[in-house]
Amino acid sequence: MLRQAPVFESLTSTAASGFGKLIRYLEAGGMATKLKSTLHLQTAHVLFVDIVAYSKLLVNEQRDVVHELNQIVRETPQFRKSDGDGELISIPTGDGMALVFFRTPEEPVHCAMEIAESLKTRPHLALRMGIHSGPVDGVTDVNDRPNVAGVAINLAQRLMNLGDAGHILMTRRVAADLLEDPEWRAHLHDLGEVELKHGVKIGIVNLYTADIGNPKPPEGIKPMSPPKTGLAAALGTVTHSSRARYAAIVAFALIVLLAVWAFYSFGVRARFASAPDNGDKSIAVLPFENLSAEPANAFFADGVQDEILGDLAKIADLKVISRTSVMPYRQSSNRNLREIATELGVAHILEGSVQRTGNRVRVRAQLIDARTDTHVWAEQYDRDLADVFAIQSEIA
């Protein structure tokens, strides 16, 4: 990172106390470029802020608007709270900043709304903002200051670049979490799916109220798919494209047909009768086994399990056993899945393993019908670390 102007010093100074758990593992001496942390990846919630038409200003005007923006951001309640708790990193970007939060996806949204509220009395200062949640990794910059990098930062910036003055844009991934709270539902407006750099496809949602934000669609957006209207449509497209959703429905239908065929063809009624009556729509996601050489990568395996649990829990008709209830089975050797299913009161078990080597990760997952001790589905994924969340969504 280039040497930062003095107007940013009060923002960057907060980075030393931020980044939560990652920064606490920073080695005292001989810092490498990569933070020596037992946690390599952490979910972050990023707000990217940019001053519109910054490059058209004179040098002294640029200095003044950046100073004014810093003051606005520092005075927002959400910035002060997250910064005071040591759970925020502020990264200057020349004509704006990236604010990296680590607790909930509502933090960057609240901060964006508070910034937009302050702009109502400053019509000369035009901003655009982008919000995304995803994995980040801790690094140190050329000045040995804590910093972060990762797909969450990149997507938030690319999303922001699509907006015009006043826009607060977010990915459907963030909108899905916000829709759990009725307070946000009326303010989220789907803009369809677009393709970004390197063929990355994301769904975009515009956040605005009667007096905050920009209700007009960004001029630079050309959706690949039409926008969705209504709460149910937004929920249904928040983590998957329409094609993926239809494919999942077809796959589920095929599984049901195969199960019926097996039932009547091979006479498994007796086995079903002897198995616990847990209901078809019930599942327990066991802790994923860490096959990596470093024990610290167990955190990574836990993250895969957590994300899958979170996605499955959004299905109203599906009974999903909590993470707390399945954790006692982490260390069980020669696990008897049928006994575990009986104890947890479920019909299906999802288990798997995670193996990380460098920047590559291999995830294996298999779905077991515990009543018959048969495989319903199994798959292996070999991807870059940047695709971790895509893998988790596919498994769910």
Side-chain angles (χ1 to χ4, degrees):
M1 184 178 293
L2 297 177
R3 181 174 179 81
Q4 298 154 353
V7 292
F8 286 123
E9 290 181 355
S10 56
L11 280 175
T12 56
S13 64
T14 64
S17 62
F19 207 25
K21 299 175 183 176
L22 286 178
I23 301 306
R24 300 188 188 104
Y25 291 104
L26 184 61
E27 288 191 339
M31 295 186 195
T33 300
K34 180 76 76 172
L35 290 181
K36 303 300 184 179
S37 166
T38 58
L39 291 177
H40 292 276
L41 289 176
Q42 186 171 2
T43 299
H45 313 289
V46 181
L47 169 61
F48 228 102
V49 184
D50 175 71
I51 300 173
V52 178
Y54 176 83
S55 60
K56 297 180 180 180
L57 301 176
L58 299 176
V59 173
N60 63 316
E61 293 174 331
Q62 291 178 343
R63 181 177 61 251
D64 291 341
V65 295
V66 168
H67 179 71
E68 185 176 6
L69 174 60
N70 287 341
Q71 286 184 318
I72 292 173
V73 173
R74 286 196 300 268
E75 292 172 0
T76 59
Q78 186 62 64
F79 180 95
R80 298 172 67 178
K81 176 175 174 54
S82 299
D83 180 37
D85 294 339
E87 295 290 342
L88 172 67
I89 283 187
S90 309
I91 307 172
T93 59
D95 57 350
M97 66 188 69
L99 302 178
V100 186
F101 301 85
F102 293 95
R103 287 184 295 200
T104 75
E106 283 191 294
E107 289 181 295
V109 181
H110 276 298
C111 192
M113 297 285 279
E114 291 163 358
I115 293 173
E117 180 70 28
S118 298
L119 295 180
K120 290 162 61 176
T121 59
R122 297 175 171 88
H124 62 282
L125 185 56
L127 303 179
R128 56 183 179 177
M129 294 180 265
I131 302 172
H132 178 62
S133 294
V136 296
D137 201 0
V139 297
T140 54
D141 63 22
V142 69
N143 296 315
D144 279 341
R145 291 172 177 165
N147 206 329
V148 290
V151 66
I153 301 289
N154 297 336
L155 281 182
Q157 184 177 22
R158 293 175 188 174
L159 188 63
M160 175 202 69
N161 289 336
L162 295 175
D164 303 322
H167 276 131
I168 304 174
L169 304 180
M170 67 179 65
T171 56
R172 286 175 176 168
R173 174 186 175 84
V174 177
D177 294 327
L178 296 181
L179 284 172
E180 298 297 326
D181 187 344
E183 176 186 346
W184 296 109
R185 295 185 184 182
H187 308 314
L188 300 174
H189 307 273
D190 190 79
L191 295 177
E193 188 178 65
V194 299
E195 183 172 344
L196 302 179
K197 187 178 179 181
H198 304 309
V200 176
K201 300 175 183 178
I202 60 171
I204 300 179
V205 175
N206 189 11
L207 171 67
Y208 61 85
T209 67
D211 56 351
I212 291 178
N214 184 351
K216 296 181 179 179
E219 294 182 1
I221 289 184
K222 296 181 179 179
M224 299 173 56
S225 61
K228 304 295 182 179
T229 58
L231 178 61
L235 277 171
T237 58
V238 92
T239 55
H240 305 282
S241 68
S242 296
R243 290 190 297 268
R245 186 169 180 81
Y246 294 148
I249 294 174
V250 172
F252 180 78
L254 289 175
I255 290 173
V256 172
L257 290 175
L258 287 173
V260 172
W261 176 78
F263 183 91
Y264 286 100
S265 299
F266 297 99
V268 295
R269 295 183 183 181
R271 299 185 68 182
F272 278 164
S274 61
D277 184 13
N278 301 321
D280 289 338
K281 299 179 181 179
S282 56
I283 188 171
V285 182
L286 299 185
F288 275 49
E289 184 180 1
N290 173 33
L291 299 182
S292 304
E294 297 183 15
N297 283 325
F299 289 102
F300 182 79
D302 289 345
V304 175
Q305 179 199 17
D306 287 343
E307 287 294 327
I308 295 172
L309 278 171
D311 282 348
L312 293 180
K314 295 177 182 178
I315 304 176
D317 293 336
L318 183 64
K319 173 186 175 183
V320 182
I321 301 302
S322 69
R323 184 176 186 273
T324 303
S325 297
V326 299
M327 289 310 293
Y329 300 100
R330 176 199 293 275
Q331 303 298 336
S332 301
S333 59
N334 299 321
R335 298 186 293 196
N336 187 314
L337 297 184
R338 192 161 185 169
E339 292 180 359
I340 293 176
T342 301
E343 294 172 5
L344 295 176
V346 296
H348 300 88
I349 295 288
L350 179 68
E351 64 174 0
S353 62
V354 176
Q355 185 174 8
R356 175 181 174 178
T357 302
N359 289 325
R360 298 286 295 175
V361 62
R362 170 173 293 175
V363 179
R364 294 187 179 92
Q366 54 184 0
L367 180 65
I368 309 296
D369 188 330
R371 300 166 299 183
T372 60
D373 197 23
T374 56
H375 282 75
V376 177
W377 166 85
E379 190 58 83
Q380 173 177 305
Y381 304 87
D382 292 292
R383 303 286 175 81
D384 291 329
L385 285 177
D387 294 330
V388 169
F389 285 90
I391 296 174
Q392 294 163 354
S393 296
E394 289 181 39
I395 296 174

